[in-house]
Amino acid sequence: MITKTIQNSFLFASLLFSHYSLATAHTPKDNDIITASHSLLKVELSIDEIEQLVLNSQNVGQTERLQGALKVRLAKLYQQAPTLKIGYLYARVLQKEHQFDEAIAIAEETLTIKPATKKQQSNTHMLLSNMLMIKGEFTQAKQHCTALIGSVSIMTTSTCVLDIRSQEGQLEQSYNSLLKITRNKEISEYTLQVLSEMAYRLKRYDDALLHLDNIQLNQSPVSLIALWADIQLGLNNHQQVLSSLGGLLNNVDDLEDSLLIRLAIAEKVTQNTTWQTLIKKRIALRELRQDTFHASDLAKYYLEVEPNTSKAIYWATINLKQAKMSSDKQLLVEAQLKGTE
């Protein structure tokens, strides 16, 4: 069973900012990133209300909602009176736009703010661990995992460390170790996602799907939905992807790029072109704007939806400059292999 204690925001940090969600945002309106005048932020929201908006941004159709407004507001609040929570939320928002160095600098600075207990700092340590792992700085990332000892569960700390080790070439060992640690125990959604992602990378698709057996897609973060879809595609369950993801939102224009791409991939085995047409328009917009923080989605599109080797390599290369996890490296390898066929 999935424990309800995952509502703690330090767990959401790992879910929201895993490599599955680096480029999941829906089509931004022209002023989504540049303005702070959205009606919901015209009033003086409390820090707790702002935190809830940031947490909600992991949900389907919400990943870029208020992004620009939140960034401007949190930057101002942090400049005026920096606190641990404000710095943490500001770093999360910066990370969404792949401003990793700035986000890491802010997060590290917040750890020097006193007074603060280890438990209060756990959100920031988890966020830093995840950002450093994405950048391929695994030693520093693990240091922030071990800093969690005493403030979170042993399972959470172990998951954090083993997730990083799996990126260092110890995938199978890390997966087996985490399986052993979690056997016959109540498991958080965070740990289930890490287990499932490891199994997926090992191409153990049935096991990967089993780890996600109890999730509710309409209540899950985009990163988890994308992983679930990849597993189903690995099992050739294309219709399952089409029927499940296609009904997540009433307005399909609000679906994230990553989900539209997976719908388009699933649709290719049918006679329909609905999702392929929709994502084609989205990709054209991304390219026009040179949205480099959507580079992984662009590369995946040109690998699996509308094959174009040169574009796939171009975007996979850009993506690897930003994120250096195993999936990012594999994306470029696959693009390069296509070029030799």
Side-chain angles (χ1 to χ4, degrees):
M1 295 295 291
I2 301 175
T3 179
K4 295 300 183 182
T5 59
I6 60 154
Q7 300 304 316
N8 293 327
S9 58
F10 72 85
L11 294 183
F12 279 124
S14 186
L15 292 174
L16 178 61
F17 296 119
S18 72
H19 57 289
Y20 263 95
S21 58
L22 282 173
T24 54
H26 69 300
T27 304
K29 305 302 185 293
D30 287 339
N31 65 347
D32 271 358
I33 299 301
I34 63 174
T35 182
S37 61
H38 194 287
S39 59
L40 281 180
L41 290 184
K42 285 180 180 178
V43 297
E44 290 296 323
L45 299 180
S46 69
I47 298 303
D48 288 343
E49 289 171 327
I50 291 175
E51 179 181 32
Q52 193 57 53
L53 289 174
V54 174
L55 291 176
N56 287 346
S57 69
Q58 69 177 343
N59 299 330
V60 178
Q62 302 290 316
T63 55
E64 275 191 9
R65 182 171 176 262
L66 302 178
Q67 169 71 12
L70 284 168
K71 184 171 70 171
V72 172
R73 174 65 64 83
L74 286 165
K76 183 178 180 180
L77 289 172
Y78 190 74
Q79 184 179 34
Q80 291 175 339
T83 67
L84 187 62
K85 180 177 283 190
I86 291 172
Y88 165 70
L89 294 173
Y90 184 28
R92 283 187 62 155
V93 170
L94 288 171
Q95 190 199 28
K96 288 187 68 177
E97 295 182 18
H98 287 193
Q99 296 182 46
F100 295 122
D101 292 337
E102 186 175 357
I104 288 170
I106 293 293
E108 289 178 339
E109 188 176 54
T110 65
L111 291 175
T112 68
I113 296 174
K114 306 295 183 183
T117 65
K118 284 188 64 176
K119 188 170 184 62
Q120 290 170 331
Q121 292 178 330
S122 60
N123 294 353
T124 305
H125 282 300
M126 180 66 94
L127 181 60
L128 279 164
S129 172
N130 193 263
M131 288 192 289
L132 289 163
M133 178 172 65
I134 291 170
K135 284 173 60 67
E137 298 174 13
F138 301 128
T139 300
Q140 297 100 307
K142 280 184 287 188
Q143 289 172 353
H144 287 285
C145 290
T146 55
L148 294 167
I149 296 173
S151 59
V152 301
S153 70
I154 294 298
M155 186 182 296
T156 296
T157 302
S158 299
T159 301
C160 183
V161 171
L162 290 169
D163 192 15
I164 297 167
R165 285 182 181 171
S166 77
Q167 299 292 331
E168 295 181 294
Q170 302 179 50
L171 175 56
E172 187 155 11
Q173 304 95 306
S174 298
Y175 178 62
N176 290 333
S177 294
L178 194 52
L179 278 178
K180 185 177 180 179
I181 291 169
T182 58
R183 187 171 293 122
N184 299 322
K185 293 184 177 67
E186 190 175 33
I187 310 173
S188 72
E189 188 174 293
Y190 163 52
T191 297
L192 284 173
Q193 179 168 352
V194 172
L195 276 168
S196 182
E197 193 268 342
M198 286 181 182
Y200 174 76
R201 284 158 56 201
L202 289 166
K203 300 190 184 303
R204 300 179 187 175
Y205 301 133
D206 288 316
D207 291 333
L209 191 59
L210 187 61
H211 292 306
L212 303 183
D213 191 45
N214 291 322
I215 70 163
Q216 299 295 320
L217 290 182
N218 60 354
Q219 299 175 18
S220 299
V222 171
S223 60
L224 192 56
I225 299 170
L227 173 59
W228 176 88
D230 282 341
I231 296 166
Q232 295 287 8
L233 291 171
L235 291 167
N236 293 316
N237 294 335
H238 298 82
Q239 191 55 51
Q240 185 72 15
V241 173
L242 290 169
S243 60
S244 297
L245 268 59
L248 286 173
L249 291 178
N250 291 328
N251 185 358
V252 297
D253 287 331
D254 287 337
L255 279 172
E256 279 69 15
D257 292 18
S258 61
L259 302 186
L260 282 177
I261 287 172
R262 286 157 176 83
L263 281 163
I265 293 169
E267 187 183 56
K268 291 189 72 174
V269 303
T270 73
Q271 300 300 312
N272 300 320
T273 59
T274 302
W275 299 112
Q276 293 169 78
T277 300
L278 188 55
I279 189 58
K280 185 174 183 177
K281 294 177 181 178
R282 183 80 61 84
I283 292 297
L285 177 61
R286 296 299 185 201
E287 287 194 295
L288 180 65
R289 295 181 175 182
Q290 284 293 292
D291 285 346
T292 58
F293 52 92
H294 289 284
S296 64
D297 279 339
L298 285 157
K300 190 174 184 67
Y301 174 81
Y302 285 118
L303 268 175
E304 301 190 51
V305 180
E306 187 176 311
N308 185 315
T309 300
S310 61
K311 286 190 174 184
I313 292 174
Y314 173 77
W315 287 110
T317 301
I318 289 177
N319 178 63
L320 192 59
K321 291 178 181 178
Q322 302 174 121
K324 304 183 185 302
M325 295 173 69
S326 60
S327 60
D328 304 299
K329 297 173 184 176
Q330 185 61 30
L331 192 62
L332 180 56
V333 169
E334 290 177 11
Q336 291 170 333
L337 286 175
K338 286 288 185 181
T340 64
E341 292 180 357

